């Protein structure tokens, strides 16, 4: 049996609330992400989907438990929040290449062709529009190969031709890797994912069957939130 690429073993993540209590995003969560599978992440607003991705990525601490990673894990695809504004797009690209141990010239060449930013790639990122930053971020995300990609409400940018280009590249990457895919689109989850995790009241429940996961999520959405189960309004 192939070992999972990511395992959560009794992982707990909580936040202190203004009233002095705690809100649990994960409470002794145990689930495994199989290799080369696309796993949807479902949950109502505030259930902790994005926080769970950051915990898995290693960019956010958790309270207790253990996370085992048996492969390379991406940052959230398309995330542009970490670019240094004073550096050019090209300089940011080279810096990320060095951090992740990939060839700087190869990644820059890929990003230059993919992003279609032209001369703007050599200008400071603080001069970029949000669309230009998104093009750069998506290009860098697709230019670094990972065993599993973290995708949080990924939306492509630009005109129809560029959106098609993004879709084709993402499909190519996912044909060789796995992914955790956060989306509010049931249609996207149903079409793209092999399995799914439903987050509710600090519990992450894994479903091999995506349609069963969607049904459970719908049941949760119709039920009220319970403060006693980890929610603090």
């Amino acid at each position: 049996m192939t070992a999972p690429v990511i395992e959560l073993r009794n992982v707990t993540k909580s936040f202190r609330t203004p009233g002095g209590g705690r809100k649990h995003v994960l409470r002794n969560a145990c689930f495994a992400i199989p290799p080369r599978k696309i796993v949807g992440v479902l949950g109502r607003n505030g259930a902790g989907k994005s926080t769970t991705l950051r915990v898995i990525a290693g960019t956010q601490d958790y309270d207790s438990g253990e996370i085992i990673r048996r492969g390379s894990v991406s940052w959230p695809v398309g995330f542009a929040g970490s670019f240094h504004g004073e550096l050019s797009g090209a300089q940011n690209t080279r810096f990320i290449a060095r951090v992740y141990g990939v060839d700087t010239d190869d990644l820059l060449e890929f990003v230059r062709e993919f992003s279609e930013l032209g001369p703007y790639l050599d200008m400071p990122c603080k001069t970029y529009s949000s669309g230009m930053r998104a093009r750069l971020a998506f290009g860098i995300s697709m230019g670094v190969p990972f065993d599993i990609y973290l995708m949080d409400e990924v939306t492509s940018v630009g005109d129809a031709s560029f959106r098609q280009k993004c879709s084709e590249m993402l499909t190519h990457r996912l044909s060789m890797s796995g992914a955790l895919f956060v989306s509010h689109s049931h249609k996207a989850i149903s079409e793209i994912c092999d399995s799914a995790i439903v987050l509710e009241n600090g519990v992450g429940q894994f479903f091999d069957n995506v349609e069963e996961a969607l049904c459970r999520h719908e049941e949760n959405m119709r039920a009220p939130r319970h403060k006693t189960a980890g929610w603090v309004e």
Side-chain angles (χ1 to χ4, degrees):
M1 183 175 178
T2 304
V5 67
I6 293 173
E7 276 188 87
L8 273 69
R9 298 181 178 177
N10 297 309
V11 173
T12 294
K13 171 62 181 177
S14 64
F15 295 98
R16 186 173 299 280
T17 65
R22 300 197 75 84
K23 172 184 172 180
H24 282 81
V25 173
L26 296 170
R27 191 194 297 270
N28 295 321
C30 295
F31 53 81
I33 310 301
R36 300 188 67 173
K37 296 293 184 181
I38 303 176
V39 180
V41 183
L42 294 160
R44 63 173 98 209
N45 289 337
K49 299 182 295 296
S50 297
T51 299
T52 298
L53 256 62
R54 290 195 295 270
V55 166
I56 290 173
T59 59
Q60 188 153 14
D61 292 335
Y62 49 96
D63 304 346
S64 60
E66 183 181 15
I67 298 178
I68 299 173
R69 304 174 184 87
R70 296 187 177 90
S72 56
V73 181
S74 81
W75 59 87
V77 169
F79 178 65
S82 61
F83 292 147
H84 194 298
E86 298 294 333
L87 300 180
S88 68
Q91 289 171 320
N92 273 285
T93 300
R94 288 184 176 278
F95 175 77
I96 291 170
R98 288 192 291 270
V99 168
Y100 284 89
V102 299
D103 186 273
T104 55
D105 292 334
D106 287 349
L107 181 59
L108 183 57
E109 182 180 354
F110 176 89
V111 171
R112 193 178 295 277
E113 188 281 328
F114 186 88
S115 68
E116 301 175 6
L117 287 172
Y120 290 103
L121 191 62
D122 297 305
M123 295 179 63
C125 282
K126 66 181 181 182
T127 65
Y128 286 14
S129 66
S130 59
M132 292 165 67
R133 290 174 67 89
R135 282 175 175 256
L136 176 63
F138 200 89
I140 294 175
S141 295
M142 292 295 97
V144 180
F146 291 100
D147 294 310
I148 186 164
Y149 287 88
L150 305 180
M151 302 188 295
D152 191 351
E153 294 290 356
V154 173
T155 55
S156 52
V157 296
D159 56 23
S161 174
F162 189 76
R163 290 195 298 272
Q164 179 65 26
K165 186 178 183 179
C166 290
S167 177
E168 290 174 355
M169 178 54 66
L170 188 56
T171 300
H172 172 67
R173 285 298 188 208
L174 294 183
S175 70
M176 301 178 290
S177 305
L180 275 174
F181 181 68
V182 171
S183 178
H184 285 96
S185 170
H186 290 195
K187 183 174 184 290
I189 293 284
S190 182
E191 291 178 350
I192 294 173
C193 298
D194 303 299
S195 52
I197 296 164
V198 179
L199 296 176
E200 177 74 358
N201 296 331
V203 177
Q205 187 174 4
F206 188 92
F207 290 83
D208 286 318
N209 186 290
V210 175
E211 295 308 315
E212 288 182 9
L214 289 169
C215 288
R216 175 59 57 83
H217 174 58
E218 283 296 326
E219 292 173 3
N220 291 342
M221 292 295 288
R222 290 191 292 268
R225 292 178 173 177
H226 299 292
K227 292 182 182 180
T228 57
W231 288 98
V232 177
E233 300 292 349

